[in-house]
Amino acid sequence: MRPSIDELRERLAAAFSEAQELAIDDDSAKHAGHAGAAGGAGHFNVRIVSPRFEAMPVVARHRLVYDAVADWMPHRIHALAIDARPASSHSSKG
């Protein structure tokens, strides 16, 4: 059974306590009938803005996010789209 947005938020907030932004969308309904959704696993979009991501390649940022939910994949989370940005990119937006 897929985690609720609150469960996922709690898990990611604990792993990224310094995050300046944490947004989560559950896109599971868009994937009804998809093989990964058949077992109840969820599809989520996650946006995290954190100073921890400074000077870190995108792949390394994504790995940190995946590591935070590794025990939920693939049985509770089938797909996780990640937008992980350093805090400096967030503060420069007007």
Side-chain angles (χ1 to χ4, degrees):
M1 181 64 124
R2 73 176 172 261
S4 68
I5 286 181
D6 290 338
E7 287 177 300
L8 185 52
R9 182 180 314 283
E10 183 177 313
R11 174 72 68 100
L12 292 175
F16 297 94
S17 60
E18 76 291 338
Q20 295 176 348
E21 180 182 339
L22 175 57
I24 302 168
D25 292 315
D26 184 344
D27 283 339
S28 300
K30 294 179 185 175
H31 299 276
H34 179 270
H43 290 70
F44 297 93
N45 287 318
V46 173
R47 176 180 167 87
I48 301 176
V49 177
S50 171
R52 191 184 320 176
F53 297 143
E54 293 297 330
M56 188 179 284
V58 172
V59 172
R61 296 180 216 163
H62 285 208
R63 175 53 46 210
L64 285 178
V65 177
Y66 282 124
D67 287 349
V69 297
D71 61 316
W72 285 353
M73 295 183 82
H75 304 291
R76 294 191 73 195
I77 297 175
H78 175 72
L80 189 64
I82 300 169
D83 179 3
R85 298 177 185 225
S88 61
S89 72
H90 187 258
S91 61
S92 65
K93 292 183 178 180

